[in-house]
Amino acid sequence: MESPLTSDQSRGIRSKPRPVASWREHHGWSAAASLRRLMSRPVGTLLTVAVMAIALALPLTFYLLLGNLQKMGDALGQNQTISLFLQPGQSVSSADMLAKKLRERGEVAGVKVKSPDQGMDELAKMQGFSGALHTLDVNPLPFVLEVQPKADVSADSVDKLVTEMRGMSGVDQVQDGGTWRQRLEALLGVGQRVVLILAALLAVAVLLVVGNTVRVDIASRHEEIGVLMLVGASRAFVRRPYLYAGIWYGLFAGVLAVGFAVLVEWSLAEPVQRLGQVYAGKLAIDVLPVWLLAAVPVAAALLGWLGARLVSAWQLRKAA
């Protein structure tokens, strides 16, 4: 027969985990009950989730378009070649010496020397120039150095390089597409700021949608909540199902938003592929990173929880 001491100890061991077990059981019940309640009104739940998903998908779509715009700028010559025309009469050795000097600069990726004969051959291949070139006795074209800046060099550094090249000995003219490059970088900077602002505003919109939905739900069950609080239920106990409802709303909306973003990627794939063929395969669609797609449902669930937490705390404080 078991001794009294051992029996008491056994009962104590069994009774200690009961608060934790009850807390865990209530969390499981709250998650399942809130999900069943959402499923019991599919139309209203679907409309709320769809509105939230569209709000979450908009910054994802703008982020996708901005990334593709930046990639398009790189493919079509964001860092355009700088053409440096030497003065007439410069020798091959002078052109090679200047090209070597430019290659030693840290912001230069490469320099190509184009001779007057090569320039003449290119003009001869262009329609309408071949006949006129045959009448020339002397080749009037100068040596041309095609300077390619590195991809990670800023527009200010390229402008400084162009200014220095214009002052080099033997240089007649420098042609640079720096203005276009600066405009593109400025446009991309504005676009990135717009995406951040839009994401913040739409996150607030998600909070408001979840908060209003939870507020209406709590108001419709005002009497039931009052009875629970009269019999001693804590506010945390009462609001727990509503917090899980906010999490479910956010999670479903995040998954649907990812689906919308993937659909946009898919719709852009074919036209971008056709455009890439025109530019010799330099262009390809830039897809959203996997980590971002995985983070959206998690972040949306946290937003849903936060919106439900703020509104339920305010509503229950009023009901108390």
Side-chain angles (χ1 to χ4, degrees):
M1 186 174 177
E2 191 179 26
S3 64
L5 181 60
T6 304
S7 177
D8 291 340
Q9 290 176 341
S10 300
R11 285 195 300 269
I13 293 173
R14 287 195 299 268
S15 62
K16 284 181 181 179
R18 284 306 303 165
V20 176
S22 299
W23 177 83
R24 187 171 59 245
E25 289 173 2
H26 190 255
H27 269 277
W29 176 87
S30 299
S34 59
L35 181 60
R36 286 194 302 267
R37 185 170 179 82
L38 295 184
M39 294 299 103
S40 66
R41 47 175 192 267
V43 176
T45 300
L46 181 60
L47 290 176
T48 302
V49 169
V51 170
M52 294 171 60
I54 293 173
L56 293 170
L58 282 175
L60 284 177
T61 303
F62 279 108
Y63 181 84
L64 175 66
L65 295 177
L66 187 64
N68 279 279
L69 179 61
Q70 186 167 7
K71 195 169 184 179
M72 184 181 298
D74 294 337
L76 303 183
Q78 181 178 357
N79 295 301
Q80 291 179 330
T81 301
I82 303 170
S83 298
L84 191 150
F85 296 86
L86 301 186
Q87 295 173 353
Q90 295 288 326
S91 62
V92 178
S93 59
S94 299
D96 290 338
M97 187 179 301
L98 184 56
K100 181 180 179 182
K101 183 179 179 180
L102 290 172
R103 290 190 186 103
E104 293 174 352
R105 297 183 66 101
E107 63 267 41
V108 175
V111 180
K112 180 181 179 181
V113 180
K114 186 180 294 184
S115 67
D117 292 336
Q118 290 174 326
M120 187 66 72
D121 292 338
E122 289 183 3
L123 283 176
K125 294 176 183 178
M126 298 176 65
Q127 185 177 2
F129 281 91
S130 58
L133 294 177
H134 290 307
T135 63
L136 299 176
D137 297 329
V138 180
N139 189 342
L141 299 178
F143 279 93
V144 179
L145 304 185
E146 294 182 348
V147 182
Q148 179 66 46
K150 290 183 178 179
D152 56 350
V153 175
S154 65
D156 293 337
S157 298
V158 175
D159 289 339
K160 184 179 179 181
L161 174 64
V162 171
T163 302
E164 293 180 5
M165 287 193 299
R166 288 195 175 108
M168 290 180 177
S169 176
V171 175
D172 184 36
Q173 185 180 0
V174 178
Q175 288 185 354
D176 174 42
T179 302
W180 182 84
R181 182 170 51 249
Q182 288 178 349
R183 288 175 180 174
L184 179 60
E185 289 188 356
L187 179 63
L188 292 175
V190 172
Q192 291 172 354
R193 185 63 59 87
V194 168
V195 169
L196 291 176
I197 295 174
L198 185 65
L201 291 176
L202 293 175
V204 174
V206 170
L207 284 176
L208 294 177
V209 170
V210 173
N212 184 65
T213 304
V214 171
R215 182 190 64 80
V216 172
D217 198 5
I218 292 177
S220 66
R221 305 175 68 182
H222 179 76
E223 294 182 358
E224 179 183 343
I225 292 172
V227 172
L228 288 174
M229 299 187 74
L230 284 175
V231 298
S234 64
R235 292 180 183 176
F237 182 91
V238 174
R239 69 169 171 254
R240 193 164 292 147
Y242 302 104
L243 299 184
Y244 275 103
I247 292 174
W248 288 125
Y249 276 125
L251 183 62
F252 294 153
V255 172
L256 188 57
V258 169
F260 287 157
V262 172
L263 184 62
V264 172
E265 286 182 358
W266 177 80
S267 63
L268 288 176
E270 184 178 354
V272 171
Q273 184 179 7
R274 290 200 303 268
L275 185 61
Q277 292 173 355
V278 176
Y279 289 95
K282 293 182 180 179
L283 220 57
I285 187 171
D286 189 18
V287 299
L288 291 169
V290 176
W291 68 265
L292 181 60
L293 296 178
V296 168
V298 177
L302 289 175
L303 283 174
W305 173 87
L306 181 60
R309 176 70 175 79
L310 295 175
V311 172
S312 61
W314 177 63
Q315 286 286 98
L316 293 178
R317 193 177 298 114
K318 288 175 56 180

